[in-house]
Amino acid sequence: MAEKIKIFDTTLRDGEQVPGCQLHKDEKLRVAAALDKLGVDIIEAGFPISSPADFDSVKSIAEQTENAIVCGLTRAIEKDIDVAAEAVKPARRSRIHTGIGTSDLHVFTKLRTTKEDVLDRAVAAVKYAKKYVEDIEFYAEDAGRTDNEYLARVVEAVVKAGATVVNIPDTTGYCLPDEFGAKIRYLKENVKGIDKVDISAHCHNDLGLATANAISAVQNGATQVECTINGIGERAGNTSLEEVVMIINQHDDLPFYTGINTQMLTDISHLVSEKMRMPVQPNKAIVGANAFAHSSGIHQDGVLKNRQNYEIIDPAMVGANGSSIVLTARSGRAALNYRIEKIGVKLTKPQLDEVYQEFLLLADRICMVDDEDLKKLVGDYVVTNINS
Ligand code: KIV
Ligand code: ZN
């Protein structure tokens, strides 16, 4: 039987850490409402101790959210936990997300302490948070570069202390998919009590591997994926929600599903892009402007005969406007004819051959030919032929 993969959205926390993308409270409430409708399981609404405005936003999101669990981030510090607990209190279902760095780099050069101290602080934070809420997620920051044996010790200790979810972040986006999957498998096989909790994959995209690593984690036992709309986030960003969801959705060979309403993906991508003033790259998977655009003659001919020749996703499934046949100097006769028919003109084969030559000259000059250009092209041709 297929297993549900929980979608933990951190657009409003890790995503909002992008310089220049900070949102005002009303914008955050709008995005949070859209995420709740989209069907995410958890909304990480912010880092409440970071500023009074963030606290206020998390609290308001907690008040308005109808379905998702509302989560607030903390360090493994009591004051952080007190403030986060207060912020998420109004939520129907709330979670505190606490944690500490576990890699040698973080332990020795960031925290400047010992591994035993980190372990103690991790356990103490979980126990402390537990007095406020039942649902505690623990993150082992830089788990991607943490040695598996020590990571397993920390994870086992926090599970024993009451953590309900253990988050394994590849904070610097360093891991390879096999390596990250093996890390999750190692925890599954070596941590007592691990089957009682969710393992969460939180991957960064520094080497462009965030989505691949998250999927590898799922294939090896992770039951929650942390992601952001459009993959936004610090540096090269986080795992992209729409990519993970559509990979799981499209691959029947993956025995998983999510609760996401995929038809809302395009709209929410636009919303986040607009509110965060962060354009989506045109070639972005699933939601980019060119995700369903075909411009080369060979592809256009194939798509016009059967969309599935070059599309693995029905655009309607992600709420996109449909496939588009874009006319460039690489386009073929089939595409040109298709677009000419769309503006209501029917040409014979010899006529099409002639228009095609004129079209190529134009396309070489102006790169992309639109309907207005086409009307002129066909109009001139028809006039010329009528007169001759
Ligand atoms: O990337 C990371 O390690 C994080 C943690 C705070 C969860 O964002
Ligand atoms: Zn992160």
Side-chain angles (χ1 to χ4, degrees), residues 284-343:
K284 169 80 183 61
I286 320 295
V287 291
N290 292 347
F292 302 103
H294 307 276
S295 80
S296 84
I298 296 171
H299 288 207
Q300 290 173 328
D301 182 52
V303 166
L304 290 171
K305 286 174 176 149
N306 177 359
R307 192 186 58 72
Q308 289 178 338
N309 280 324
Y310 288 99
E311 277 181 2
I312 57 162
I313 299 170
D314 179 349
M317 190 184 257
V318 297
N321 260 341
S323 322
S324 58
I325 297 291
V326 181
L327 293 180
T328 71
R330 304 292 152 263
S331 300
R333 282 177 181 70
L336 180 64
N337 196 36
Y338 168 81
R339 287 281 302 271
I340 287 175
E341 285 189 358
K342 277 202 121 177
I343 58 166

Side-chain angles (χ1 to χ4, degrees), residues 99-278:
I100 191 164
T102 53
S103 65
D104 282 0
L105 268 167
H106 278 228
V107 173
F108 300 126
T109 73
K110 188 179 96 163
L111 301 163
R112 297 186 177 157
T113 184
T114 63
K115 287 180 155 187
E116 287 315 307
D117 179 51
V118 163
L119 199 138
D120 291 346
R121 280 155 71 173
V123 168
V126 170
K127 285 190 174 154
Y128 189 76
K130 203 76 183 171
K131 72 178 192 176
Y132 289 115
V133 288
E134 171 51 31
D135 191 3
I136 307 296
E137 174 164 337
F138 173 82
Y139 64 86
E141 195 180 5
D142 206 16
R145 294 186 297 175
T146 302
D147 79 81
N148 287 348
E149 214 178 302
Y150 176 65
L151 184 62
R153 270 181 66 211
V154 174
V155 169
E156 188 163 306
V158 297
V159 169
K160 194 160 168 237
T164 45
V165 183
V166 286
N167 176 9
I168 310 301
D170 184 21
T171 305
T172 57
Y174 175 75
C175 288
L176 293 170
D178 282 357
E179 184 187 2
F180 196 62
K183 191 174 280 289
I184 303 297
R185 173 80 25 219
Y186 182 89
L187 296 175
K188 278 295 276 181
E189 288 171 357
N190 291 282
V191 170
K192 231 183 278 150
I194 197 76
D195 289 332
K196 294 193 303 244
V197 304
D198 279 314
I199 301 181
S200 189
H202 177 114
C203 300
H204 279 267
N205 206 30
D206 300 66
L207 292 172
L209 290 170
T211 297
N213 283 343
I215 294 295
S216 177
V218 165
Q219 289 176 297
N220 283 281
T223 45
Q224 177 178 289
V225 172
E226 313 209 349
C227 40
T228 60
I229 301 293
N230 300 335
I232 60 167
E234 288 226 16
R235 308 185 307 281
N238 287 59
T239 304
S240 152
L241 181 147
E242 56 279 5
E243 291 173 13
V244 165
V245 166
M246 289 314 292
I247 289 168
I248 291 175
N249 192 295
Q250 292 302 105
H251 270 268
D252 291 341
D253 50 331
L254 293 177
F256 309 110
Y257 69 97
T258 72
I260 298 297
N261 177 352
T262 62
Q263 289 173 7
M264 295 176 69
L265 287 171
T266 300
D267 277 356
I268 198 162
S269 161
H270 292 165
L271 176 73
V272 167
S273 166
E274 180 205 315
K275 297 291 173 211
M276 293 203 161
R277 296 159 287 275
M278 186 139 179

